Amino acid sequence: MTARTDRVKRRLLKQAFAENFDTIRGLPPRSVRSSNRRFRIWLRRTPLFVLFLLLAGSTYLASNPTAAHDTFAPAKIVINRPRRALAQASIIDSSGMSVTALPLSVHRVVIDAGHGGNDPGTTSLALLSEKDVTLDVARRLAALLQKDGFEVITTRTDDRLIPLRERARLANQSDSDIFVSIHVNSIEQHTSEHGVETYYLGPTKDPSLTKLAADENRVSGYSVGDLRKLLDGIYADARRDESQRLAAAVQQQLFTNLKTKDRGLENWGVKRAPFIVLVATEMPAILAEVGCMSNPSEVAMLQRAEYRQQIAGALFQGIHAYAAAAEAPQKKGT
């Protein structure tokens, strides 16, 4: 009871002190100042309330252009602005467009001899290396193409290692029409078999093709930071259809021509694989495996100059067939 009395006394004393202090300042008693106080509080908060209304109004008008039009229509104000949205919408989506709608021609060809220098590629017991075979075939193919009127760009002309990044840069800067990379296969688990196959760019779930691509991509010159860009190229490449057509033409000529000299040759077909040299080039591109170094009889054939000339001739016929089909006039309505 005594404690409660003391608290009441302290509160009354505090209020009395406050009232006396307000009187000295010239303010009216607090009992008659409640409405003024509420008015000042409301006045201080008015700017915040007005700001809230302005923001709400502008958001509504921005999300409802028809409402803004109805509101300001009587003023007949016309404002000319760049039509950015329309321009973006008018960009052609090439993902679903066939290249047969465009006039195509093949005049400049990049010939890429696989491996080189301290990267021999696959080798045989007969001391035959892939880098030597691919360079010799590339030289023969270049001569055939030039004789037929094609312009030829070669990624290497001697026994040296050119990183895959540099090969792609050279091809892209030359504004070439197609890219043909020449390689020789090796199937260690099946030495009795041998065949030819041609690749174009695309993903694969085949573990053997993944290993083959990893071996070919080993000396690439690309870093981990380039990974996302390269993967985008694999899955969203607008050149895929043309690369497939080029691969089909080359594969058909390789098998048909070489089969006449090698009865045991197998047609391993056209396949997709993520070879970096195909990812980084900006034109239709293929990688041709023109032989199989793990087969002894094929190694013996690859050692002969006349058989290498026949390989070059088959590649030339494939390129020529693709170029002729690309330049053939399309019938109206087809």
Side-chain angles (χ1 to χ4, degrees):
M1 192 67 180
T2 302
R4 185 186 304 172
T5 302
D6 291 337
R7 285 198 299 272
V8 172
K9 286 181 179 180
R10 284 195 298 272
R11 186 170 64 252
L12 292 175
L13 181 61
K14 184 177 180 181
Q15 290 177 354
F17 177 82
E19 291 286 347
N20 290 335
F21 185 76
D22 288 343
T23 301
I24 293 173
R25 294 171 57 196
L27 298 175
R30 295 194 174 197
S31 59
V32 299
R33 284 190 285 135
S34 57
S35 60
N36 292 337
R37 181 172 178 270
R38 285 195 296 270
F39 175 76
R40 285 197 303 272
I41 294 174
W42 181 86
L43 189 63
R44 285 197 301 268
R45 295 180 179 177
T46 296
L48 297 176
F49 181 72
V50 172
L51 180 61
F52 172 78
L53 289 178
L54 290 175
L55 290 175
S58 61
T59 303
Y60 173 75
L61 292 177
S63 60
N64 295 273
T66 56
H69 175 75
D70 295 339
T71 303
F72 296 105
K76 302 294 183 182
I77 299 176
V78 179
I79 302 176
N80 294 320
R81 294 188 178 91
R83 301 176 65 184
R84 294 183 180 178
L86 181 60
Q88 291 175 354
S90 65
I91 295 176
I92 296 175
D93 179 9
S94 61
S95 59
M97 183 181 69
S98 172
V99 294
T100 57
L102 304 174
L104 299 176
S105 60
V106 179
H107 299 293
R108 188 176 296 123
V109 181
V110 177
I111 304 300
D112 174 51
H115 307 280
N118 58 9
D119 176 20
T122 186
T123 57
S124 71
L125 296 177
L127 300 180
L128 182 66
S129 64
E130 180 181 4
K131 67 175 184 177
D132 295 329
V133 175
T134 59
L135 181 59
D136 186 57
V137 172
R139 288 171 173 167
R140 297 173 184 273
L141 174 58
L144 292 173
L145 289 169
Q146 289 169 341
K147 185 178 179 180
D148 199 52
F150 288 91
E151 294 182 48
V152 177
I153 305 295
T154 55
T155 58
R156 70 181 181 98
T157 58
D158 52 22
D159 184 19
R160 56 176 171 160
L161 176 62
I162 308 295
L164 300 184
R165 176 190 285 271
E166 181 63 20
R167 296 174 192 240
R169 185 196 63 79
L170 177 63
N172 295 335
Q173 289 186 352
S174 69
D175 292 328
S176 295
D177 301 305
I178 61 174
F179 178 94
V180 178
S181 187
I182 303 171
H183 289 257
V184 181
N185 215 334
S186 179
I187 312 297
E188 297 177 359
Q189 294 82 3
H190 304 281
T191 57
S192 61
E193 301 175 4
H194 64 288
V196 289
E197 55 190 348
T198 308
Y199 292 89
Y200 68 99
L201 177 62
T204 180
K205 294 183 179 180
D206 188 331
S208 63
L209 297 186
T210 301
K211 181 180 182 303
L212 176 62
D215 291 340
E216 298 292 357
N217 295 340
R218 187 172 57 251
V219 187
S220 69
Y222 287 91
S223 66
V224 175
D226 299 311
L227 178 62
R228 180 63 199 180
K229 181 179 179 181
L230 293 175
L231 290 178
D232 288 343
I234 293 175
Y235 289 94
D237 196 335
R239 301 164 289 125
R240 182 186 59 226
D241 292 343
E242 280 305 296
S243 297
Q244 184 179 13
R245 292 187 184 94
L246 174 59
V250 168
Q251 176 64 19
Q252 181 181 2
Q253 294 298 325
L254 270 176
F255 178 70
T256 302
N257 281 274
L258 300 183
K259 182 74 171 178
T260 61
K261 295 292 184 181
D262 184 359
R263 296 297 180 183
L265 187 69
E266 298 178 8
N267 186 355
W268 290 345
V270 173
K271 302 175 182 178
R272 297 187 303 178
F275 294 108
I276 286 182
V277 74
L278 303 183
V279 179
T281 48
E282 297 173 355
M283 66 285 297
I286 62 170
L287 186 148
E289 299 279 3
V290 300
C292 198
M293 198 81 75
S294 53
N295 181 267
S297 61
E298 176 116 10
V299 171
M301 297 185 70
L302 289 172
Q303 288 178 313
R304 300 204 303 265
E306 59 270 22
Y307 187 68
R308 295 183 185 181
Q309 184 66 33
Q310 187 151 356
I311 293 175
L315 291 171
F316 167 76
Q317 291 297 333
I319 294 170
H320 188 276
Y322 169 79
E327 292 182 347
Q330 298 292 323
K331 293 183 179 180
K332 188 174 181 180
T334 60

